[in-house]
Amino acid sequence: MVCNIIVIIPAYFLKMKKVLFLCTGNSARSIISECLLNQMGKNRYQAFSAGSKPVGKVNPYSIKILEKNNINYEKVSSKSWDDFSDTKFDTIVTVCNNAANETCPVYPGSPNKLHWDLEDPAAFNGNDEEKLNQFQRTFDQIHKYIKKEFINK
């Protein structure tokens, strides 16, 4: 007896969409965005982050807030957008604050481009608890943007 089995594979499993989150320093907003989308959009999106002038290390408050919210950050690092010069992205998201006169990086090519106007929590001055609260507010904003732009589409 021959039994034919038909397996239907959703299209998003065949090609995960690549998303690059860009900011200047690549230590907080873009790092949080990368980790959140990789966890929330697992099997649909592959997220990366980079900076036009990376500081070279992840802000410790970024790690604290990712831990607090049970988000995996195991392979994350601060890196330059030059590291991705040969990578084709489906979407580029800039996560910098126009109101603070930050210069948002412009990535070449023609992927879909989004801009999220987010204050830099790393620039916030305060005690440990106040800084952690500021990072949580940024995390919450990014979480909402990711749900709206990627997960609930």
Side-chain angles (χ1 to χ4, degrees):
M1 178 167 151
V2 175
C3 182
N4 292 329
I5 299 174
I6 298 173
V7 178
I8 299 172
I9 301 172
Y12 58 81
F13 281 117
L14 300 176
K15 182 185 179 288
M16 289 179 23
K17 293 185 186 269
K18 290 184 179 177
V19 178
L20 177 62
F21 292 97
L22 279 180
C23 67
T24 307
N26 190 224
S27 72
R29 295 164 292 188
S30 54
I31 294 285
I32 293 168
S33 300
E34 173 188 1
C35 294
L36 259 173
L37 183 58
N38 276 332
Q39 188 158 316
M40 292 172 68
K42 195 173 187 124
N43 299 324
R44 291 177 58 198
Y45 296 98
Q46 187 177 15
F48 304 87
S49 68
S52 57
K53 297 175 186 168
V55 297
K57 62 181 180 181
V58 177
N59 186 297
Y61 287 95
S62 296
I63 299 300
K64 287 179 183 180
I65 213 64
L66 291 166
E67 283 178 344
K68 179 182 176 193
N69 289 278
N70 298 312
I71 303 297
N72 185 350
Y73 60 90
E74 197 173 298
K75 297 178 183 178
V76 74
S77 65
S78 177
K79 55 213 155 293
S80 172
W81 65 355
D82 293 333
D83 295 354
F84 298 103
S85 60
D86 294 331
T87 305
K88 184 179 183 316
F89 290 99
D90 298 289
T91 304
I92 305 286
V93 183
T94 52
V95 291
C96 41
N97 185 345
N98 295 337
N101 293 321
E102 284 186 274
T103 303
C104 292
V106 177
Y107 197 83
S110 57
N112 181 34
K113 294 179 181 168
L114 299 171
H115 173 71
W116 299 346
D117 190 16
L118 297 168
E119 290 182 32
D120 186 0
F124 180 80
N125 291 317
N127 63 36
D128 281 351
E129 184 180 345
E130 292 167 334
K131 287 180 184 178
L132 199 58
N133 288 338
Q134 183 64 33
F135 271 79
Q136 184 64 55
R137 282 190 289 276
T138 300
F139 177 95
D140 293 342
Q141 286 178 299
I142 292 168
H143 188 270
K144 286 178 188 173
Y145 278 131
I146 286 175
K147 280 179 70 175
K148 177 185 173 198
E149 296 293 342
F150 297 103
I151 305 306
N152 293 338
K153 280 200 162 189

